[in-house]
Amino acid sequence: MSGRERQAAAIMIQGTGSHVGKSVIVAGLCRALVRRGLKVAPFKPQNMSNNAAVAADGGEIGRAQALQARAARLPASVHMNPVLLKPETETGAQIIVQGKRFGTMRAAEYGRRKGELLPRVLESFARVGGDADIVIAEGAGSPAETNLRSGDIANMGFAEAANVPVILVGDIDRGGVIASLVGTHAVLDEEDRQRIRGFVINKLRGDPGLFEAGVRTIAERTGWPCLGVVPWFDGAGALPAEDVLGLGQTAGGCELVIAVPRLPRIANFDDLDPLRMEPGVSVRIVEPGNPLPAEARLVLLPGSKSTIGDLAALRRQGWDIDIVAHRRRGGHVLGLCGGYQMLGATIADPEGIEGRPGTVSGLGLLAVDTVLTADKATRNVIGTHVSSGERIAGYEIHLGETGGDDCERPFLDLEGRPDGAISADGLVAGTYVHGILASDGFRRAFLAGLGVSGSNVRYEAAVEAALDGLADHLEAHVDIDRLLTIAGLPR
C-alpha cells in the first residue's frame, strides 16, 4: 500500500532516542483528538518490549499500544503493533507478527530479514486506518541510528513506505536536547530530513521562557518549526510504564513492604502499577547485588520472558535463599506467570524452547511441575479469586502447562477452569493470569490478607483521569491544529 491509497490522515511521532516520551505523547494525542470528535487509531510498526498485552482479537501487542488504544477509546488490535520483539537473551528475541509467534531470531538475523515484514506492517497500517479519521503512529528508538536504516520498518523506512509526515520529539530533561535534534538533522539523508515537519520539546522542568533561545537555535539549524514545549507531566506516574526503566521505588515507611527482585527478563511488570498506587504499600524493586529486605511481608516474583534463565539469575544473586528464609519466617510469596513456574518443583523444557532441552529444579515452594511447550496461550480472562470470592479480569500470555498436588487448591476460578496453585499452609501462591491486581475488589481483599485494610484506590478510574489530564496538558502546550494540518486532516 502506498501513502496515496491510505484511507486516513496520519502523522508519525518519532524521537531523538528511546525514553523521550513518544508513547505518552501518542496516548495523550489519541485522547485529545477523540475528545474533539475524531476517530483516532494508534499504530506502532515495530516495538521491542517484554511488557505485552492481549488484544481484543486474541494476539499480543505492546502494552503501550494497548494503553494508546484505550486513550482512543478503541478495542486493542494486533494490527496496532504488527511487529513485537520480545528479548529473550542479550542478542536474541522472540518475534511476534500480527499477534502470533513468528519465531526466534538473533539480532543480526533479524537485521537482515526485517525488511521482509514490511508488507505485513503496511497491511496492518491499512487495516488500522480503514475506519479512522487519523492514525497516530509511533517510532521506535531514533531515526538517527542510520546504521539501521537499510530495511527499516520502525522509523523512516515505514514513514517513507506509507508516505507519513513525521514530528520529532526531544527530551530536555535528559540534557543535550539541542544537540540531539540538530544532530538528527545532520545525519539523516535529505529525503528523510524533509519528511520531518516539526519538533516538540518534551519534559521541561522550570520556566519555559529560559529555553526560548534554544528553540530558536534548533529551528534555525534544522529549518523545522517548533510545535510545542511540553512541561513535565506529573500525572504520567499513574500510567503503565512501557519499559522496565520506568520502574521505581514507592515511598518507604508504609504498612506493607513488597519485595520484587529485578530479573534480567522481567515481563509484564505493569502488574505492579496498582500496588504502587496504594498509600499503605511500599513496592521495593530489589536490584542485583542486594538482598531481599527482611522486613518484606510479601515477595512477588513477576513474569519473565525466559523463566529458566531468570531462575538461574535469581539463584546467582542468592535470592532463592532469601525467599526460602522469608517463607520460614511466615512471609508470603506470590508468583505471576513465569514467577509461578519458578515456584514449583521442576521446569521441563523438552523441546529446547529456552535453550538446551532438559529439566531444571524450581524453588520447591509449590508442589507443582511445569512443562514448557511451543504452543502459546494468549487470551483475556475473567473469573473469581477462590479465597475471597472477588471478581477479577486479566490476561494470559505464556508457554507451558503446570500441574501437581497444589493445583488442587487453585488460586483462581476462570469461569469453571481452575488456574494457579496455593501451598498447604497458604503462604505461597501462583497464577498464570496477569493484570488481576488492577481489579479493585480483589486487590483490597488480597492486601487485607497481608494486614493492609481500608484501600480506596480505584485503579482504572485513576488511569482514565491521567489520560484526560494528559490530553489537557497537550492541548495547552502543543499546536495540535498545526499537527492536524501536517497530517493532512482539514480543520
Side-chain angles (χ1 to χ4, degrees):
M1 182 203 72
S2 74
R4 295 177 182 84
E5 297 168 341
R6 69 170 187 261
Q7 298 176 2
I11 194 85
M12 189 173 198
I13 307 299
Q14 295 186 16
T16 57
S18 299
H19 316 299
V20 301
K22 299 185 296 291
S23 296
V24 171
I25 284 179
V26 171
L29 289 174
C30 284
R31 179 53 60 92
L33 295 182
V34 80
R35 294 195 316 187
R36 290 186 176 200
L38 295 170
K39 293 181 179 179
V40 189
F43 183 76
K44 184 159 185 169
Q46 175 190 291
N47 198 355
M48 178 179 285
S49 178
N50 277 331
N51 218 24
V54 176
D57 40 7
E60 292 182 73
I61 62 171
R63 171 58 57 181
Q65 281 61 67
L67 177 67
Q68 291 161 359
R70 176 176 182 165
R73 299 188 175 130
L74 288 177
S77 165
V78 296
H79 296 291
M80 293 173 178
N81 175 206
V83 178
L84 175 62
L85 311 181
K86 304 185 77 174
E88 294 179 322
T89 67
E90 293 299 320
T91 59
Q94 185 181 112
I95 317 298
I96 308 296
V97 177
Q98 292 179 332
K100 302 300 180 184
R101 186 171 181 264
F102 182 76
T104 297
M105 296 184 194
R106 295 178 71 82
E109 180 187 5
Y110 181 73
R112 291 190 302 269
R113 297 186 57 190
K114 61 186 178 182
E116 300 171 16
L117 298 177
L118 182 59
R120 305 282 291 276
V121 168
L122 294 177
E123 175 194 9
S124 288
F125 180 61
R127 293 184 66 166
V128 165
D131 191 36
D133 297 317
I134 182 170
V135 177
I136 305 180
E138 178 189 344
S142 168
E145 295 161 348
T146 54
N147 56 306
L148 303 177
R149 179 61 175 88
S150 178
D152 173 57
I153 62 173
N155 290 300
M156 287 300 180
F158 164 78
E160 177 186 26
N163 193 24
V164 175
V166 173
I167 303 299
L168 190 62
V169 176
D171 178 359
I172 194 171
D173 189 58
R174 306 174 79 183
V177 71
I178 295 174
S180 63
L181 284 160
V182 174
T184 299
H185 180 274
V187 301
L188 293 179
D189 65 32
E190 184 60 26
E191 188 175 351
D192 286 348
R193 195 180 293 149
Q194 292 298 322
R195 196 168 296 282
I196 296 176
R197 304 290 299 280
F199 67 91
V200 170
I201 302 296
N202 195 27
K203 303 183 189 177
L204 177 78
R205 300 180 193 258
D207 183 358
L210 297 177
F211 195 64
E212 287 179 358
V215 168
R216 287 196 299 271
T217 297
I218 296 166
E220 290 167 1
R221 294 293 188 97
T222 65
W224 301 329
C226 179
L227 271 64
V229 177
V230 182
W232 187 275
F233 177 62
D234 289 330
L239 300 174
E242 181 191 20
D243 191 271
V244 69
L245 295 176
L247 288 178
Q249 312 295 334
T250 53
C254 294
E255 237 179 303
L256 171 67
V257 173
I258 299 176
V260 182
R262 189 195 286 263
L263 302 172
R265 295 288 169 240
I266 186 172
N268 296 88
F269 43 82
D270 55 311
D271 280 327
L272 306 176
D273 290 340
L275 294 173
R276 296 170 68 196
M277 281 192 186
E278 291 286 351
V281 173
S282 174
V283 178
R284 307 251 185 107
I285 309 299
V286 184
E287 301 289 345
N290 296 294
L292 301 185
E295 64 271 26
R297 204 172 306 165
L298 172 70
V299 172
L300 193 154
L301 294 183
S304 167
K305 188 62 196 70
S306 180
T307 301
I308 292 174
D310 273 359
L311 178 58
L314 184 148
R315 286 192 162 111
R316 286 195 297 272
Q317 295 297 324
W319 288 332
D320 56 330
I321 298 170
D322 291 349
I323 292 170
V324 170
H326 165 84
R327 193 265 183 93
R328 285 176 180 163
R329 292 192 297 268
H332 291 256
V333 183
L334 175 65
L336 301 175
C337 199
Y340 169 37
Q341 293 175 337
M342 293 180 200
L343 291 174
T346 62
I347 304 169
D349 186 5
E351 300 176 41
I353 294 167
E354 292 194 2
R356 290 184 178 179
T359 300
V360 301
S361 296
L363 297 176
L365 297 181
L366 285 175
V368 299
D369 299 281
T370 294
V371 178
L372 300 180
T373 61
D375 294 333
K376 177 178 279 194
T378 56
R379 52 191 167 228
N380 292 302
V381 298
I382 57 173
T384 303
H385 178 228
V386 173
S387 298
S388 66
E390 292 287 349
R391 296 290 292 171
I392 63 93
Y395 60 97
E396 293 180 60
I397 301 178
H398 66 89
L399 296 170
E401 300 291 337
T402 299
D405 290 347
D406 283 348
C407 291
E408 297 300 315
R409 289 178 293 276
F411 190 70
L412 302 175
D413 176 5
L414 303 178
E415 306 224 294
R417 178 169 62 92
D419 169 84
I422 302 174
S423 63
D425 61 7
L427 294 177
V428 182
T431 174
Y432 271 121
V433 182
H434 293 287
I436 55 176
L437 290 161
S439 299
D440 295 337
F442 162 73
R443 190 178 64 257
R444 280 193 292 269
F446 182 75
L447 292 176
L450 296 171
V452 177
S453 58
S455 166
N456 60 1
V457 173
R458 296 174 61 232
Y459 176 70
E460 300 294 352
V463 172
E464 283 296 308
L467 287 171
D468 284 330
L470 177 59
D472 292 338
H473 194 66
L474 295 186
E475 288 277 14
H477 299 289
V478 174
D479 189 344
I480 295 179
D481 288 335
R482 189 169 185 179
L483 183 148
L484 291 175
T485 300
I486 291 170
L489 190 71
R491 295 189 184 184

